[in-house]
């Protein structure tokens, strides 16, 4: 009870500083769902740069994306980088389109040549994050789940992996984490649930209009069956199984996220059900998640 009281106090202070407006993102996602229909993508078939080297890991913070990055970066053909800001920067540039259209509506305006240029520029600009010559590299920016349409149009052969975690565990883990910057939705249980619901709705839309384009990897499944999960992920990436991916904790590469210490240890269930210790104080979160909450 005392721990939760301090969590609540700290989050209230941070929320006041952030001035979070969840309806802005929700409006943008609604517009993108209206625009990005199967017909929209069919009309743009063949757009983009053919380079297959990027592997995007998307989802929410604290959902296991760093673990997936460490697993993949332990493969001899995949290089780990960091949370790259190239896609968000492109979104910001498109949002200032000279024609007056705003993102996501502006996605309908670029030509095939434009989208190919976006993809080529992305490959070129991310090159300096890669220190080796491995044929594939990871872009682990969780919030890119909002921009799967853009990624698909500019890099149609890139792989996209959705790192998902059980909602109560994911939202509470975010609530108890003070991020270095960004993530304003995490400083309120209600905002965290609202953002999780928006994320799930967005990913369900990509599944409908781009079936098979995104591989969903449930964090709890990785914990329960590491090797089986690794094989499934590598199959999706078109790569052979390597034992090093199961022994990811031996990889000494630098990790820049809040999970940096966790991925130095073998797989364990330590944090999976941590939220249950605080369940008596998480009624607001459970109610805000609605049908997504366990047992609903």
């Amino acid at each position: 009870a005392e721990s939760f009281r301090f969590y609540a106090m700290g989050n209230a202070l941070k929320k006041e500083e952030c001035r979070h407006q969840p309806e802005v993102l929700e409006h943008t996602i609604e517009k993108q769902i209206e625009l990005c229909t199967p017909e929209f993508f069919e009309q743009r078939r063949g757009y983009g740069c053919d380079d297959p080297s990027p592997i995007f890991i998307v989802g929410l913070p604290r959902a296991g994306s760093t673990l997936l990055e460490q697993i993949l970066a332990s493969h001899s053909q995949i290089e780990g980088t960091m949370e790259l800001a190239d896609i968000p920067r492109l979104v910001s540039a498109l949002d200032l389109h000279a024609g007056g259209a705003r993102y996501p509506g502006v996605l309908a305006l670029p030509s095939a040549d434009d989208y190919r240029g976006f993809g080529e520029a992305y490959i070129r600009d991310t090159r300096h994050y890669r220190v080796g010559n491995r044929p594939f590299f990871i872009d682990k920016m969780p919030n890119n789940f909002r921009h799967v349409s853009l990624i698909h149009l500019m890099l149609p052969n890139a792989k996209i992996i959705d790192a998902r975690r059980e909602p109560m565990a994911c939202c509470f883990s975010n609530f108890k984490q003070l991020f270095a910057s960004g993530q304003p939705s995490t400083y309120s249980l209600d905002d965290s649930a609202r953002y999780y619901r928006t994320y799930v709705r967005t990913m369900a839309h990509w599944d409908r209009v781009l079936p098979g384009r995104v591989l969903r990897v449930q964090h709890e499944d990785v914990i329960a069956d590491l090797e089986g999960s690794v094989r499934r992920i590598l199959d999706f990436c078109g790569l052979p199984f390597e034992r090093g991916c199961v022994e990811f904790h031996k990889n000494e590469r630098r990790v820049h996220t809040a999970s940096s210490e966790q991925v130095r240890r073998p797989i364990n269930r330590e944090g999976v059900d941590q939220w249950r210790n605080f369940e008596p104080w998480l009624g607001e979160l459970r109610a805000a998640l609605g049908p997504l909450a366990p047992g609903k």
Side-chain angles (χ1 to χ4, degrees), residues 8-9 14 18-19 26 50 52 64 85 116 131 137 141 175 189 197 223 238 240 255 257 262 265 267 269 290 296:
M9 289 171 58
K14 188 66 177 179
C18 289
R19 304 176 187 271
E26 291 166 352
D50 290 337
R116 184 172 61 253
V131 296
F137 71 99
M141 177 63 82
F175 187 71
L189 291 174
R197 294 198 316 265
I223 300 298
V255 178
T257 71
Q262 292 165 297
R265 293 176 286 165
I267 208 81
R269 292 187 54 84
K296 293 294 185 75

Side-chain angles (χ1 to χ4, degrees), residues 62-248:
R62 312 297 296 151
S65 58
T66 301
L67 174 59
L68 297 188
E69 177 190 37
Q70 189 76 344
I71 288 170
L72 285 169
S74 299
H75 195 282
S76 64
Q77 296 188 51
I78 305 175
E79 183 168 359
T81 56
M82 56 191 296
E83 294 185 350
L84 305 182
D86 296 73
I87 296 297
R89 275 198 294 266
L90 176 56
V91 169
S92 296
L94 289 171
D95 206 28
L96 299 174
H97 192 272
R102 301 295 301 272
Y103 190 88
V106 72
L107 290 172
L109 300 182
S111 66
D113 287 343
D114 291 331
Y115 274 114
R116 184 172 61 253
F118 296 158
E120 290 171 349
Y122 172 87
I123 297 298
R124 182 182 64 249
D125 294 345
T126 55
R127 185 71 221 179
H128 71 277
Y129 296 107
R130 304 168 63 183
V131 296
N133 293 309
R134 299 184 183 187
F136 302 97
F137 71 99
I138 303 164
D139 182 338
K140 190 199 81 72
M141 177 63 82
N143 290 328
N144 279 341
F145 78 84
R146 313 172 190 175
H147 310 307
V148 166
S149 53
L150 175 60
I151 293 170
H152 173 72
L153 290 169
M154 61 187 271
L155 292 161
N157 293 323
K159 297 295 187 290
I160 306 173
I161 298 171
D162 172 24
R164 186 166 299 192
R165 188 178 180 185
E166 189 277 328
M168 291 290 286
C170 186
C171 291
F172 178 69
S173 186
N174 276 297
F175 187 71
K176 68 184 185 67
Q177 179 69 45
L178 176 62
F179 291 93
S181 62
Q183 314 304 344
S185 67
T186 64
Y187 299 113
S188 150
L189 291 174
D190 184 71
D191 285 345
S192 289
R194 191 167 174 176
Y195 193 69
Y196 193 101
R197 294 198 316 265
T198 299
Y199 151 70
V200 168
R201 181 164 184 254
T202 306
M203 297 311 299
H205 178 71
W206 301 137
D207 287 344
R208 284 192 298 271
V209 300
L210 294 169
R213 188 69 177 87
V214 179
L215 177 72
R216 179 159 305 117
V217 179
Q218 192 72 34
H219 180 64
E220 292 75 16
D221 292 343
V222 178
I223 300 298
D225 180 11
L226 176 59
E227 183 168 327
S229 297
V230 167
R231 289 183 181 279
R232 177 171 173 258
I233 295 167
L234 292 177
D235 282 348
F236 177 75
C237 294
L239 293 170
F241 175 77
E242 290 184 2
R243 178 57 52 182
C245 295
V246 177
E247 299 174 345
F248 61 87

